Amino acid sequence: DQQVKQNSPSLSVQEGRISILNCDYTNSMFDYFLWYKKYPAEGPTFLISISSIKDKNEDGRFTVFLNKSAKHLSLHIVPSQPGDSAVYFCAARRYGNKLVFGAGTILRVKS
Amino acid sequence: EAGVTQSPTHLIKTRGQQATLRCSPISGHTSVYWYQQALGLGLQFLLWYDEGEERNRGNFPPRFSGRQFPNYSSELNVNALELEDSALYLCASSLGTVSGNTIYFGEGSWLTVV
């Protein structure tokens, strides 16, 4: 039962352009969403989060958008840099429950 | 401040043996989570402990078990190891169970079963 889906296994973007990573979820009880970045052989690193009471959260080059009616969130990285190349995981949780992850999207930023 | 620490970094075991992985959460964090990332797969939820109790477990066989100690550190035990148990095992911690609490990951323990 995949409650969190990242339908794009990979994404390739030119340096300096915008990277948009998408995530869909099915459980309307989720109230907190997070994005993690993971390099090979390392643990995931927290990037940015958003509560279900908001529709946008920004942190530097990273912005997360939440569309609750569509059960969709996205991560925008502007401008993209080669060091952003990694696997990006979308995750969601509801109060008192475990974090559920998507399968991840490999982002490649070409210089 | 120290992050989530895991040991050992690498572990090689043979089929049928037992493996024990350890995790120390960020100071002040009471919740500890274990995830498995097998080669080419996403993060699969294994176990979640909070305040010393198991709160939830993922769809893994009983061979996978763990515990949380009074100091909130945790152990993951895998009995009767099988080849497909070879994976990166990630521990994470958070401040309690409130949804708004971000969870932070350790660097992981690589388990190789031969």
Side-chain angles (χ1 to χ4, degrees):
Chain A
D1 176 23
Q2 273 193 299
Q3 298 186 69
V4 178
K5 298 180 185 179
Q6 292 177 256
N7 292 318
S8 298
S10 65
L11 174 68
S12 189
V13 171
Q14 198 67 34
E15 182 180 5
R17 306 295 291 267
I18 185 171
S19 294
I20 300 176
L21 297 125
N22 293 304
C23 179
D24 297 296
Y25 61 96
T26 57
N27 190 339
S28 57
M29 299 297 290
F30 287 142
D31 58 6
Y32 193 61
F33 305 88
L34 308 93
W35 284 94
Y36 286 84
K37 171 180 170 180
K38 186 179 183 302
Y39 293 116
E42 293 184 12
T45 303
F46 168 71
L47 267 178
I48 192 168
S49 63
I50 188 166
S51 162
S52 60
I53 62 173
K54 295 187 174 182
D55 54 19
K56 178 182 173 181
N57 189 25
E58 279 182 87
D59 184 3
R61 296 185 299 113
F62 302 93
T63 303
V64 57
F65 295 92
L66 175 63
N67 183 334
K68 282 178 295 189
S69 60
K71 293 193 181 71
H72 177 84
L73 67 155
S74 60
L75 174 68
H76 293 208
I77 306 173
V78 183
S80 301
Q81 299 173 354
D84 295 330
S85 297
V87 180
Y88 288 78
F89 289 98
C90 163
R93 73 186 296 186
R94 61 185 176 97
Y95 181 86
N97 277 272
K98 66 182 185 294
L99 205 59
V100 179
F101 284 89
T105 298
I106 300 170
L107 173 65
R108 294 187 186 90
V109 179
K110 299 176 289 187
S111 52
Chain B
E1 182 184 320
V4 178
T5 57
Q6 292 186 243
S7 63
T9 307
H10 293 89
L11 186 62
I12 301 175
K13 292 283 188 177
T14 55
R15 285 176 59 185
Q17 285 189 314
Q18 180 200 39
T20 298
L21 306 176
R22 296 179 177 82
C23 172
S24 292
I26 291 172
S27 178
H29 286 191
T30 61
S31 270
V32 171
Y33 310 79
W34 288 95
Y35 286 83
Q36 180 199 65
Q37 185 179 27
L39 191 64
L41 297 179
L43 294 159
Q44 304 295 317
F45 169 72
L46 263 168
L47 288 161
W48 170 23
Y49 293 95
D50 182 68
E51 297 283 1
E53 293 187 11
E54 183 180 299
R55 299 289 182 173
N56 206 344
R57 69 176 288 130
N59 190 23
F60 280 83
R63 301 187 293 108
F64 290 82
S65 65
R67 54 181 172 165
Q68 186 178 34
F69 299 99
N71 66 354
Y72 303 116
S73 66
S74 176
E75 258 182 17
L76 174 68
N77 295 295
V78 188
N79 294 318
L81 285 166
E82 299 178 4
L83 296 178
E84 52 264 33
D85 296 334
S86 295
L88 175 65
Y89 289 85
L90 291 158
C91 173
S93 73
S94 73
L95 276 168
T97 61
V98 177
S99 271
N101 290 330
T102 301
I103 77 169
Y104 296 91
F105 284 83
E107 293 303 310
S109 292
W110 285 97
L111 172 63
T112 302
V113 183
V114 297

